[in-house]
Amino acid sequence: MPGRLKVRIIAGRHLPVMDRASELTDAFVEVKFGSLTYKTEVFPKSLNPTWNSEWFKFEVDDEHLQDEPLQIRVLDHDTYSAHDAIGKIYIDIDPLLDDESSHVLCGWFPVYDTMHGIRGEILLTVKLELFADANQFKQSSCGFKFICGVTVPECYRIKYIHGFVHEFLVNEDPEYKWIDKLRTPRATNEARQRLFSKMTGELQRRIGRKVENMGGNAVLGYQQQFDIEEDSGIVVRGIGTAVTIETRKKSRKKSTIRSASSSPDKLTKEFPFYTMKSFPPRFLSRLSIAVNAHSVKLLEKIHTGNSEDVETRDSWWNELRQEIKGHCHALACNAVIGYTEHASICDDVVILSAQGTAATVNPLFCPVSQADKDENCDDHFLQVNFSGSKRNSTFSESTVQSLDEDKENSLLLFEVPKELTELVCPMKCQPSPLNPNILVPDMLFTTVHLPNDVQYIGKGTVVQARFCRSKKKGQGEPNAALVSEFLPFIEYELHKRLYNKVKIRGMNALFGLESKITLGENIVVGVATGTAVCLAALPKLCQQSASESKEPSTSSLEARYTSFTRQCVEVFQLKQTTEAECDPTSNAHPHLSPSPRSPLSLSMDDKRSLVIGIDEFSPHDDDDEFHDLLLNDSLPPPHCYISNMDICPGLNESLTLTQMFSLLWRVRYDDDANDKTLNEGLTRCCEQAMKTLWFRLRRNNPVCFIAKARFLLVLADDDELQIWITGAALIPDTKAPKDSNKKISFRNSAPVRAKSGLLQEPDLAKEDDVESNDEGAMLSLGLDARKFSASFISRPLSPLYRKLKRTNTVGSRNRYDSTSSGASKTAARNRHFSEGGSSISDIDHRDLNEASEPVEITPMSYMCDRATVRHIGVLNMFIIRETTAVRGSDEEIPSAEPAHGTGCSWFVSRSLTETNALIRAHVVALGGNALTSYKSSHCVLKESLAKNEAQCLIHVSGDVVLID
Amino acid sequence: MESLPDVDVFVGNIVSIDFAAYELWLEQAEAEEARDYLMKLDKDEHKEKEGREFLFYSYVLDQFRIFGMLEPMLHYPTMLANQMTYQISMDSQKLVISKYYALDEVVVREFLGKKLNKSTRRDLDEICAKTQKKLKYCQRQFDNCRRIFKAVEDMSGSLVKNIQKHFQLPLSLSWDYAAVVFLANHRFDCSKRKLSCLGFRDFVECSKFLIESWTHSQTDCTDLPQEIDPEFLHDLRSVKILVSEQKLFDKHKNTTVNKARELLHLSELKGSDELAGTQWCEASFRPLSRGIVGIASCLYKSKEIRDYFIDIFEKVVEPCRTCGWDKERVNMFLQCYAAAAKQLPQIEQLSLTWDKYIKTTTKCILQIYKK
């Protein structure tokens, strides 16, 4: 359906001074969509202009609506020379195409300049009118939901899971075109941002088409990656899982589901891959092990429009997927779940990796039949929901009906089929402690989240293995060959370390495993991270480990192991078996399926695949360093836990998000250090970075938890290593149980400062009275125990929008500062003190007084103590920030640079802060109040001290949602 | 591999401010000083001496970075409230602003009444040598004052309310700045050696009295809130007759003495003998009255306004002090003096003006009267 896009530019504020003489700015705005550009009038001599422009109309077909971003450019009018650019705003129209959306977007957007960062804000409104059109040859795919989350938001229910969708686009990278040598960095950056934005739109449109063909209406677990291949160009890849979802409450689309497609032929589909990490009940029947595949390729230059480039890359990824599929079949599984793809590029060599977990899924899974039954318990569900102990309860639709059966099923989840025990891999299987008739692996590694109904003991914790190898600098074929020779060793080492680290912690399973191999010019680094838990269904290792370690090791070493394991058992409460077994979440549904032990499948470019199993417990190894490595791991601070999944396993109290954080830590290393030094350094750095992180978080809240911790290693230069850590900091929720649905807005509450005790209740949050609100559209309910009160961000769309409508006629009366030159002096001086005449600042004041809530950003797929009411759309932003004055710019803050630093901390700090600000502005303008499943995936800091330049690239994505 | 990172940055979605670190930053402490100070404060963190220094150091740097980024916005506090770059809780915002604008009384005292211009700023190094504070710290204090001065200079309406609104400051702090602005605007001379015994508070209080009664600042609808009512100053010239006409002077004196006597009776504060009780009044009446009336009649010259404080100090406070009066007595005298004048028919038509003058001046004298 084609549509009409209407844009209105209302006002600006806090614009920078563009004319030094008058200390003012003559701003006007350009609105561009596709090839059509409109301009507002110039609003002279003001830093807080009010344009109140007409509606700029664009008639566009929906293909363009999906591909093109709306571009807003703010400029300073200059009579004699070229107008100076102030900054730009890119708006992705996609979320407005959704049927459920109001097709309106309204709010303040930060004006962003790649060289100066945020420079003021612009208030604008975008409206979209769509016309119905049934063109069967259309290329577009409007209205398909893209969800970054690896589990379905609780406001929806999965009706059918169709399968894997993937697509990618290639292009030349403007940064590496010859013309880049001629133009300014700003022009290049803008060309790049425009291109990336457009590619994002096009990619989604194409994936949408595929989903449509498969009969789905949404993509779940959508992952978009930018591969910047430098001279070779740029590749944007997207993978996801096509699903059919329906809103909970009113299942209006009922029964239109194609039952035909649920026939077993599903199994024959090309790639039975699923990118989600949590699944509906009864979908999984057996959970096997993590599988992965790598390949090393040489890059060649991409030429736009050359289909060969596309085909090559397509074949590369397909090979890899085939290989994964092969592993999966070898393990007697019919699907790969928790599937991810990753590329690491250095010069002309690229390492492609794919990772997932082999599993058996129920091909006839069709929760639709269940839907009716569940209808009753839905209401019940919604009430119990988020009472704290229940998390991924999205799937807890099943009733108590089949409790026993479910328990059995959850055990079967881990069963190793008979035929597999004598297969390829030397798997060590043992009877399950819960049922001696069932064989289970002694240790399990998976990439998915811990299924809801699985019983486990104690708490979980993040376990991380790291390994690096130096390599000679090189180019072309020989270099690629060298790298591919290294890969198996790195994989082996990572696995060995992980295995032993899990084991000496007295645990027996690893969930959410994410292993990444990063290629640098003279080094290859592998980091594998997962959350270890002690599953009740698998044999317990803690007791064994102690005895096992007896014979070979010296007594001191043995003592160290024993004491470490003891410490872990205590810290992670692995002893209290019986209590912990009755996991409160055991709402019991059959889920994932059992699996064999964790061998590791590695594979090479040339398809030789090998599977290695490591059974030996480390004491057999007489490598002292190795022992130190294992034993010197620091455990989280007292009462604090960390996980790389949405939940910290074992934390049953209800939690509140304090905030999302990012940490960048960069160290330099010696170009020609040997492997041993490098490895020690790597370990030390990661440990130190973690320590710093805990220290920061615990400054305010001594007891806190980290969820969804993500580690990103970047090798940006040949002697530096960047560690990016993101995650969500949580604290125990101190609020009283949420008994009623009272609408309370909390203001002026003091920040939580629980200085002691685990569950001490800091007196926070004085409940203000119910905010009576005749407009009824305010979202002030249930901000429980938010230590944050009022922030200034204008509240979601509707009220502001309405106010604007009410007041926009008043706008012209505040042109006081533009009229006479005599008055303009005064205006100049008071430029930041906008006088009462302005309709816009009236609105600001009102908003301020109403104490709007903060916009939350979380890497988790839901907000811990609040329910997701609506999923508005996906946000994908590639942000470029650059400076040509690392040292000695106006923005620099010399007092805050470390004595040993290079002076660019301020730059990183600003880039990250501004990225968050851009996200928040988009969220609010779209009518949301939070971003879930936040992920920053392409973070690089490049610095050239000689040139006094620095560049920071950040690709962020997430789901814009409305939470209650 | 290096053990120390050369970039170490922590950024959260919500800006959380450590006010202990913030205060150190405001005092222009170096990161190392701040680190040591915070480490001393934080005792509960047992053991692990090693590495702690680094943790605190990197924490301090992060906090300092936040403050450095926020600083430009603190110059326009209303902007801080509706900007979108930093998500800060309302409470923190308020605290950040009021701490940033907190006045250092010792430092600000030094440039009270001076023109808030570049040349005064250049002379700040003297102040910083005298007060033992860091130069940058003094400069910030000065810049805050100048910024507020410039911002409210041409604004109409109440001076205090303007400051409060545009700088989001608490009322008491707004009053302090109103005083600074007012004193600087009229260039009141506060730096004479004789006045050096007066503190910042004394001037704030006096300015408050002056602003409240001599300007139109309290009424919201005024274009020149800082201007001292010219009509009032003009009318005030006529009080000269109190000293210029001998008859009137004598009558005034007698009435004052009588009133003083009555009061002494009432309060039963009879000293050793009644005569001595009025003796003091009679003896000092001439110089004091000349002083008080002299100041009043010249105030219409802007030069004289500047010397208001030094004048009341030299012509009223000092003579009283040499007579060994205590504050009570000064007050009593001034009360009687004022009331007596009002009873004179020549002053009656001026009674509003007289009241306005003498009441405020009395308050000021009492404020700066110290033993």
Side-chain angles (χ1 to χ4, degrees):
Chain A
M1 19 180 190
R4 185 188 292 138
L5 187 68
K6 302 199 296 180
V7 184
R8 189 165 162 246
I9 308 295
I10 299 159
R13 64 184 183 195
H14 313 322
L15 295 185
V17 171
M18 296 303 281
D19 178 1
R20 295 252 165 155
S22 67
E23 298 205 324
L24 287 168
T25 295
D26 305 321
F28 70 100
V29 180
E30 270 181 18
V31 183
K32 187 175 178 190
F33 190 84
S35 52
L36 192 57
T37 309
Y38 291 102
K39 281 180 195 173
T40 66
E41 284 167 34
V42 176
F43 191 90
K45 301 201 189 313
S46 172
L47 299 183
N48 299 296
T50 313
W51 292 284
N52 274 324
S53 78
E54 56 186 296
W55 286 101
F56 300 124
K57 297 187 182 84
F58 301 89
E59 312 260 336
V60 270
D61 57 45
D62 41 358
E63 193 178 330
H64 278 100
L65 277 176
Q66 285 193 291
D67 288 5
E68 295 281 344
L70 177 65
Q71 299 178 50
I72 315 280
R73 197 147 78 116
V74 187
L75 298 116
D76 176 49
H77 179 81
D78 204 328
T79 322
Y80 303 109
S81 58
H83 306 313
D84 295 320
I86 297 176
K88 293 199 76 167
I89 303 165
Y90 296 91
I91 300 172
D92 181 11
I93 302 299
D94 233 30
L96 301 190
L97 295 167
D98 193 335
D99 294 338
E100 293 172 29
S101 93
S102 52
H103 307 302
V104 180
L105 180 149
C106 172
W108 288 98
F109 283 88
V111 179
Y112 185 78
D113 177 66
T114 56
M115 306 304 291
H116 290 107
I118 292 178
R119 303 171 99 191
E121 288 128 28
I122 298 288
L123 178 61
L124 55 89
T125 305
V126 179
K127 269 189 188 175
L128 182 66
E129 288 164 10
L130 289 171
F131 313 122
D133 174 27
N135 178 0
Q136 54 173 327
F137 301 110
K138 65 177 179 175
Q139 287 300 306
S140 65
S141 57
C142 294
F144 287 91
K145 234 178 214 328
F146 281 76
I147 300 172
C148 290
V150 288
T151 137
V152 72
E154 67 261 23
C155 49
Y156 297 105
R157 170 165 46 204
I158 294 184
K159 279 188 131 183
Y160 191 77
I161 301 178
H162 301 278
F164 187 59
V165 281
H166 57 96
E167 183 62 274
F168 70 93
L169 296 170
V170 295
N171 212 315
E172 283 175 43
D173 190 344
E175 175 104 351
Y176 296 91
K177 275 186 190 163
W178 64 268
I179 194 171
D180 186 48
K181 298 197 166 59
L182 301 178
R183 59 185 170 187
T184 62
R186 173 179 287 119
T188 308
N189 290 341
E190 281 175 7
R192 263 182 129 184
Q193 290 212 308
R194 205 162 45 232
L195 175 71
F196 290 178
S197 187
K198 197 176 165 175
M199 286 174 89
T200 301
E202 193 182 336
L203 187 74
Q204 284 188 23
R205 172 171 62 83
R206 293 198 184 194
I207 289 184
R209 289 280 298 153
K210 292 194 172 179
V211 174
E212 191 177 22
N213 289 339
M214 291 170 96
N217 65 0
V219 180
L220 206 55
Y222 180 60
Q223 301 163 15
Q224 188 183 312
Q225 298 282 341
F226 285 93
D227 298 339
I228 296 179
E229 300 178 344
E230 307 199 350
D231 286 327
S232 309
I234 164 130
V235 177
V236 186
R237 293 179 285 114
I239 58 171
T241 310
V243 290
T244 302
I245 54 173
E246 63 175 7
T247 32
R248 220 158 249 286
K249 296 225 164 127
K250 36 192 161 158
S251 38
R252 50 202 158 100
K253 289 175 204 159
K254 208 181 242 178
S255 80
T256 39
I257 281 313
R258 52 203 67 214
S259 45
S261 61
S262 62
S263 59
D265 74 280
K266 275 287 138 185
L267 278 182
T268 62
K269 66 186 160 214
E270 197 183 6
F271 300 116
F273 295 171
Y274 302 91
T275 52
M276 297 104 90
K277 294 192 174 176
S278 297
F279 296 87
R282 289 175 292 275
F283 180 71
L284 287 181
S285 50
R286 192 168 66 82
L287 191 57
S288 187
I289 54 162
V291 287
N292 49 16
H294 302 277
S295 70
V296 179
K297 300 289 181 191
L298 262 182
L299 293 171
E300 274 161 35
K301 190 151 183 71
I302 290 181
H303 301 282
T304 323
N306 186 346
S307 61
E308 237 172 71
D309 292 325
V310 181
E311 276 163 26
T312 343
R313 277 170 184 73
D314 201 27
S315 67
W316 289 353
W317 286 109
N318 275 339
E319 274 172 30
L320 217 57
R321 290 172 192 141
Q322 286 295 350
E323 196 176 317
I324 290 278
K325 199 171 153 188
H327 292 326
C328 160
H329 285 162
L331 290 161
C333 293
N334 66 359
V336 176
I337 58 177
Y339 180 72
T340 55
E341 289 177 352
H342 175 72
S344 173
I345 299 157
C346 183
D347 291 336
D348 56 352
V349 177
V350 56
I351 304 180
L352 310 176
S353 328
Q355 188 175 30
T357 304
T360 309
V361 300
N362 181 3
L364 292 171
F365 155 78
C366 186
V368 185
S369 56
Q370 209 73 30
D372 292 327
K373 272 187 232 161
D374 293 342
E375 214 64 21
N376 324 339
C377 56
D378 258 11
D379 300 326
H380 171 71
F381 164 79
L382 285 170
Q383 277 165 11
V384 206
N385 200 2
F386 299 98
S387 54
S389 57
K390 204 180 220 186
R391 279 153 250 261
N392 278 345
S393 17
T394 327
F395 304 127
S396 38
E397 286 156 36
S398 82
T399 32
V400 206
Q401 45 166 14
S402 52
L403 210 130
D404 287 341
E405 184 193 320
D406 286 351
K407 210 168 186 176
E408 186 75 356
N409 283 341
S410 90
L411 180 56
L412 286 172
L413 206 53
F414 303 108
E415 185 183 21
V416 181
K418 280 271 157 43
E419 70 270 20
L420 260 189
T421 49
E422 56 258 17
L423 257 174
V424 237
C425 26
M427 278 193 264
K428 208 194 239 175
C429 295
Q430 292 179 356
S432 165
L434 298 183
N435 183 347
N437 296 328
I438 294 180
L439 276 181
V440 293
D442 68 340
M443 188 163 319
L444 176 72
F445 284 11
T446 74
T447 58
V448 291
H449 285 176
L450 187 63
N452 273 348
D453 49 351
V454 168
Q455 297 171 24
Y456 54 88
I457 301 160
K459 319 260 195 227
T461 188
V462 160
V463 169
Q464 189 175 56
R466 314 144 191 128
F467 183 72
C468 62
R469 271 196 80 156
S470 60
K471 76 167 188 65
K472 285 203 191 84
K473 281 185 193 175
Q475 276 181 333
E477 285 284 356
N479 191 25
L482 189 68
V483 172
S484 59
E485 267 170 42
F486 278 178
L487 292 184
F489 295 100
I490 293 175
E491 275 286 7
Y492 174 83
E493 283 294 332
L494 287 181
H495 185 83
K496 181 166 124 189
R497 278 157 206 226
L498 268 187
Y499 180 83
N500 288 307
K501 281 185 177 191
V502 172
K503 199 160 180 179
I504 61 169
R505 277 169 178 73
M507 302 186 185
N508 55 19
L510 196 65
F511 286 90
L513 173 67
E514 215 176 308
S515 53
K516 286 219 167 101
I517 294 181
T518 314
L519 180 63
E521 239 163 83
N522 52 9
I523 197 171
V524 189
V525 187
V527 172
T529 317
T531 303
V533 288
C534 181
L535 290 182
L538 303 194
K540 289 184 192 48
L541 297 161
C542 44
Q543 293 85 357
Q544 296 167 354
S545 67
S547 58
E548 232 180 278
S549 61
K550 245 165 215 161
E551 9 114 20
S553 52
T554 63
S555 58
S556 74
L557 190 60
E558 179 196 333
R560 281 172 70 198
Y561 271 105
T562 322
S563 81
F564 187 87
T565 308
R566 271 211 196 109
Q567 195 191 343
C568 289
V569 167
E570 199 164 301
V571 168
F572 302 114
Q573 296 157 23
L574 302 177
K575 272 269 162 62
Q576 31 153 271
T577 335
T578 38
E579 301 97 300
E581 266 175 359
C582 26
D583 177 5
T585 45
S586 57
N587 212 354
H589 344 88
H591 249 14
L592 321 197
S593 70
S595 79
R597 249 240 39 241
S598 54
L600 177 69
S601 23
L602 296 160
S603 64
M604 308 288 296
D605 186 11
D606 57 3
K607 296 241 157 206
R608 272 178 298 134
S609 86
L610 66 160
V611 184
I612 306 166
I614 305 157
D615 303 290
E616 306 312 305
F617 188 55
S618 62
H620 296 292
D621 218 314
D622 31 48
D623 183 0
D624 274 350
E625 284 160 43
F626 190 71
H627 297 306
D628 287 342
L629 188 86
L630 291 181
L631 292 166
N632 289 345
D633 258 2
S634 51
L635 298 176
H639 307 297
C640 299
Y641 298 97
I642 175 170
S643 142
N644 73 338
M645 305 186 294
D646 278 348
I647 52 161
C648 299
L651 283 184
N652 293 328
E653 63 235 75
S654 55
L655 303 172
T656 305
L657 178 77
T658 60
Q659 69 167 335
M660 183 278 292
F661 59 81
S662 352
L663 179 112
L664 166 65
W665 178 287
R666 188 181 75 181
V667 281
R668 305 219 167 257
Y669 61 86
D670 244 347
D671 211 351
D672 43 48
N674 62 24
D675 278 4
K676 191 181 160 205
T677 344
L678 281 177
N679 269 306
E680 278 169 10
L682 178 66
T683 307
R684 199 176 51 233
C685 286
C686 293
E687 292 278 325
Q688 260 302 325
M690 270 320 287
K691 249 189 209 154
T692 318
L693 185 58
W694 278 118
F695 179 78
R696 297 291 159 89
L697 298 176
R698 293 180 69 228
R699 268 304 280 180
N700 295 333
N701 309 290
V703 174
C704 64
F705 315 109
I706 300 176
K708 205 78 188 176
R710 269 187 91 238
F711 295 79
L712 211 64
L713 262 124
V714 179
L715 303 160
D717 207 349
D718 57 2
D719 66 341
E720 66 175 54
L721 172 76
Q722 296 171 15
I723 304 170
W724 298 74
I725 306 178
T726 56
L730 307 166
I731 52 164
D733 195 351
T734 45
K735 67 161 188 238
K738 193 172 170 185
D739 45 350
S740 66
N741 243 355
K742 260 205 304 199
K743 299 198 174 192
I744 313 162
S745 93
F746 285 79
R747 316 178 186 174
N748 305 329
S749 46
V752 178
R753 275 187 181 263
K755 265 287 170 202
S756 58
L758 177 57
L759 282 170
Q760 184 198 359
E761 303 219 351
D763 50 336
L764 53 125
K766 308 144 200 160
E767 295 181 20
D768 269 17
D769 272 340
V770 176
E771 197 179 327
S772 68
N773 182 356
D774 45 6
E775 297 194 353
M778 306 293 192
L779 310 142
S780 49
L781 82 151
L783 242 184
D784 331 65
R786 232 101 269 272
K787 56 248 124 281
F788 200 96
S789 59
S791 111
F792 34 81
I793 302 277
S794 49
R795 53 180 62 249
L797 189 141
S798 38
L800 176 59
Y801 184 62
R802 236 173 279 159
K803 271 177 215 154
L804 276 175
K805 276 188 139 176
R806 227 184 289 140
T807 45
N808 64 26
T809 45
V810 205
S812 52
R813 117 172 108 88
N814 72 335
R815 294 194 168 221
Y816 69 99
D817 56 349
S818 64
T819 43
S820 74
S821 60
S824 77
K825 257 241 164 100
T826 316
R829 208 170 292 134
N830 295 342
R831 60 190 197 271
H832 287 285
F833 305 99
S834 60
E835 275 300 321
S838 154
S839 60
I840 302 307
S841 62
D842 282 351
I843 290 170
D844 286 350
H845 280 291
R846 221 176 309 162
D847 270 357
L848 238 169
N849 299 336
E850 276 168 6
S852 44
E853 57 181 296
V855 179
E856 301 283 6
I857 301 179
T858 174
M860 296 154 52
S861 49
Y862 57 91
M863 283 298 290
C864 359
D865 51 351
R866 301 161 78 185
T868 308
V869 178
R870 198 157 78 80
H871 179 277
I872 295 165
V874 69
L875 193 73
N876 249 311
M877 290 201 279
F878 196 100
I879 292 157
I880 301 173
R881 179 76 153 88
E882 191 167 344
T883 179
T884 48
V886 179
R887 284 151 296 143
S889 82
D890 299 346
E891 302 165 279
E892 191 194 14
I893 311 148
S895 67
E897 293 295 334
H900 49 273
T902 55
C904 75
S905 298
W906 66 268
F907 176 68
V908 182
S909 214
R910 253 177 223 282
S911 309
L912 290 173
T913 310
E914 285 170 351
T915 305
N916 288 345
L918 290 173
I919 293 175
R920 291 194 300 262
H922 277 89
V923 167
V924 171
L926 285 166
N929 56 1
L931 185 89
T932 54
S933 303
Y934 165 88
K935 192 168 155 191
S936 52
S937 41
H938 188 103
C939 303
V940 191
L941 170 66
K942 284 184 191 158
E943 196 186 1
S944 162
L945 277 178
K947 287 190 199 154
N948 199 13
E949 287 174 352
Q951 190 188 43
C952 194
L953 306 181
I954 302 174
H955 170 219
V956 289
S957 57
D959 294 319
V960 180
V961 297
L962 185 67
I963 51 177
D964 69 8
Chain B
M1 221 171 264
E2 303 269 337
S3 48
L4 289 181
D6 60 2
V7 177
D8 170 18
V9 175
F10 176 93
V11 175
N13 179 33
I14 291 163
V15 175
S16 67
I17 285 161
D18 183 328
F19 284 97
Y22 185 53
E23 273 170 18
L24 291 165
W25 178 78
L26 287 176
E27 283 168 26
Q28 295 290 332
E30 298 291 326
E32 288 82 2
E33 296 173 54
R35 169 197 67 194
D36 295 342
Y37 182 80
L38 289 179
M39 266 171 78
K40 242 181 259 163
L41 276 188
D42 175 280
K43 287 170 207 123
D44 78 328
E45 206 82 357
H46 39 276
K47 55 173 182 169
E48 263 198 82
K49 181 88 181 73
E50 143 212 30
R52 242 184 113 214
E53 260 191 12
F54 169 76
L55 292 178
F56 272 92
Y57 185 57
S58 94
Y59 174 71
V60 165
L61 288 180
D62 254 327
Q63 286 287 322
F64 277 23
R65 226 161 5 237
I66 294 175
F67 307 146
M69 291 195 287
L70 287 179
E71 191 169 18
M73 295 196 180
L74 288 170
H75 296 166
Y76 310 100
T78 42
M79 184 174 169
L80 186 68
N82 58 20
Q83 53 83 32
M84 308 165 78
T85 316
Y86 308 96
Q87 194 161 241
I88 314 172
S89 74
M90 225 29 164
D91 294 337
S92 291
Q93 279 184 40
K94 278 187 193 146
L95 212 53
V96 166
I97 295 169
S98 58
K99 281 193 192 284
Y100 189 80
Y101 282 94
L103 281 164
D104 185 310
E105 302 188 353
V106 180
V107 172
V108 177
R109 168 69 186 85
E110 297 297 318
F111 58 78
L112 272 187
K114 287 193 182 152
K115 234 181 173 176
L116 298 174
N117 60 8
K118 285 227 172 81
S119 81
T120 315
R121 194 175 193 273
R122 235 173 282 135
D123 296 338
L124 282 176
D125 45 355
E126 288 166 25
I127 294 176
C128 91
K130 193 176 165 190
T131 56
Q132 309 262 319
K133 297 279 167 67
K134 296 193 176 169
L135 179 61
K136 283 208 173 160
Y137 174 78
C138 297
Q139 283 173 345
R140 191 174 59 78
Q141 291 283 337
F142 179 83
D143 291 343
N144 281 348
C145 293
R146 181 159 73 162
R147 192 175 313 116
I148 294 185
F149 180 86
K150 293 250 169 188
V152 298
E153 202 174 18
D154 299 317
M155 280 186 189
S156 57
S158 156
L159 178 61
V160 181
K161 279 187 191 157
N162 282 339
I163 294 175
Q164 205 181 354
K165 181 180 163 202
H166 290 288
F167 288 88
Q168 312 268 305
L169 298 177
L171 186 61
S172 65
L173 195 53
S174 305
W175 264 114
D176 291 355
Y177 274 106
V180 172
V181 168
F182 181 76
L183 292 171
N185 193 26
H186 293 286
R187 311 260 301 282
F188 280 98
D189 191 342
C190 309
S191 47
K192 281 267 159 36
R193 235 177 65 84
K194 280 182 181 165
L195 294 178
S196 63
C197 59
L198 303 183
F200 175 75
R201 280 283 132 219
D202 296 321
F203 285 106
V204 169
E205 289 306 315
C206 291
S207 314
K208 207 167 165 179
F209 302 138
L210 298 180
I211 294 169
E212 278 175 336
S213 73
W214 292 4
T215 71
H216 289 302
S217 179
Q218 292 311 96
T219 51
D220 275 338
C221 48
T222 172
D223 286 340
L224 296 162
Q226 298 192 52
E227 190 192 41
I228 295 178
D229 188 354
E231 259 174 62
F232 156 70
L233 293 179
H234 184 82
D235 292 349
L236 210 50
R237 294 166 67 178
S238 330
V239 302
K240 223 190 298 182
I241 44 165
L242 277 176
V243 288
S244 59
E245 279 185 38
Q246 190 58 37
K247 260 192 193 166
L248 199 65
F249 178 81
D250 290 340
K251 204 175 170 192
H252 185 198
K253 181 175 170 182
N254 292 336
T255 326
T256 309
V257 173
N258 287 338
K259 282 202 178 280
R261 191 173 295 134
E262 275 170 36
L263 263 183
L264 278 174
H265 272 299
L266 280 177
S267 61
E268 291 171 16
L269 259 175
K270 307 161 197 172
S272 46
D273 64 311
E274 213 168 282
L275 265 181
T278 50
Q279 192 72 51
W280 55 266
C281 191
E282 278 184 69
S284 307
F285 187 82
R286 177 176 288 273
L288 288 180
S289 184
R290 276 176 182 275
I292 294 169
V293 173
I295 297 169
S297 56
C298 290
L299 273 182
Y300 69 95
K301 299 180 202 160
S302 65
K303 168 77 180 67
E304 293 298 315
I305 286 229
R306 287 185 201 170
D307 290 337
Y308 178 73
F309 290 114
I310 187 75
D311 283 347
I312 59 172
F313 193 82
E314 283 179 345
K315 294 178 179 161
V316 184
V317 174
E318 275 186 340
C320 292
R321 212 184 265 172
T322 34
C323 298
W325 293 7
D326 61 1
K327 215 173 186 171
E328 279 299 295
R329 188 157 286 191
V330 177
N331 187 18
M332 189 198 289
F333 174 79
L334 290 171
Q335 298 296 341
C336 299
Y337 180 83
K342 263 176 83 175
Q343 286 177 3
L344 304 171
Q346 288 87 338
I347 295 295
E348 218 163 17
Q349 69 217 38
L350 280 173
S351 78
L352 275 179
T353 311
W354 173 251
D355 258 357
K356 205 167 163 180
Y357 169 72
I358 195 69
K359 281 195 175 154
T360 308
T361 306
T362 305
K363 284 185 196 163
C364 290
I365 291 169
L366 293 175
Q367 176 67 37
I368 64 181
Y369 196 85
K370 284 171 188 155
K371 265 267 155 124

